[in-house]
Amino acid sequence: MEIKNITAVCGWALPPNWFGEQIQQAFPNSRIKTLYPTNPFCSESARKALDENPADLYIGYSLGSLWLFTHRQYLPSSSIKAAIAPILSFTHEGDRGGKTPKTKLKFFLRLLERSLETGQAALKDFYSVCSAPFPDDRLIEVPQRGVLIKGLEFLESALATPASTKDFIAVSGEKDVFLDSEILRRYIPGLLIEKAVGHSPGPLLRRLAKELSRRNLL
């Protein structure tokens, strides 16, 4: 199968254009559309976004993976589905591979709510922790604070079932600061764990491309 069109769903607080550039590097011959869920809880907006952006391959990264798992009923059954840095539950309390305590997430949420200045400082810390290698001058492309807050609320409360990951090719980094890959593997038996890799999307996308090529899907 030739993958001509890719629809990819961004991780939290990532500029969609930057994320699209990372995907283009791993899949240079494909047309790429990146989505950022502005209201991740809304089933109807998910249906509309996926209907309007049909693809041969759907990729969810981090928050985007949780969003795809949550709304997977709107994905075409014939499409290839992939999740990198897959999230079933972001918080430690969800007991599905997330490492972040709810108290820490709530503190981060308060920083974003307080002011634009504290919010931007918190974002820079977040990018540093997850090794997202894009320059400060692209902060202007990050979604608005209200959208970011909804995303954090989604990460705090959404819980995906192991069944929702069926037919997904999933790739996680061994050194991910937000996810415990060994725990995740209990819920996603076919999970591919990339050694010495963290949460940054680039290496995970490259491993995904290799896996698709190995399966003669690319």
Side-chain angles (χ1 to χ4, degrees), residues 154 172 218:
F154 183 68
S172 184
L218 186 62

Side-chain angles (χ1 to χ4, degrees), residues 92-159:
H92 174 71
E93 288 81 356
D95 197 30
R96 293 189 182 176
K99 292 181 179 179
T100 304
K102 276 195 175 186
T103 52
K104 187 172 183 178
L105 188 60
K106 286 180 182 293
F107 174 73
F108 196 72
L109 188 55
R110 286 196 298 270
L111 287 179
L112 276 181
E113 290 171 336
R114 190 177 302 163
S115 72
L116 182 60
E117 185 176 340
T118 58
Q120 284 200 342
L123 280 175
K124 289 180 181 179
D125 287 343
F126 167 75
Y127 297 136
S128 176
V129 167
C130 69
S131 303
F134 69 90
D136 286 353
D137 62 7
R138 299 196 71 165
L139 277 171
I140 194 171
E141 300 175 38
V142 173
Q144 294 180 346
R145 243 188 328 157
V147 172
L148 296 180
I149 288 167
K150 283 184 180 179
L152 286 184
E153 291 170 346
F154 183 68
L155 287 172
E156 180 186 0
S157 60
L159 186 68

Side-chain angles (χ1 to χ4, degrees), residues 26 34 128 158 208:
T34 53
S128 176
L208 174 62

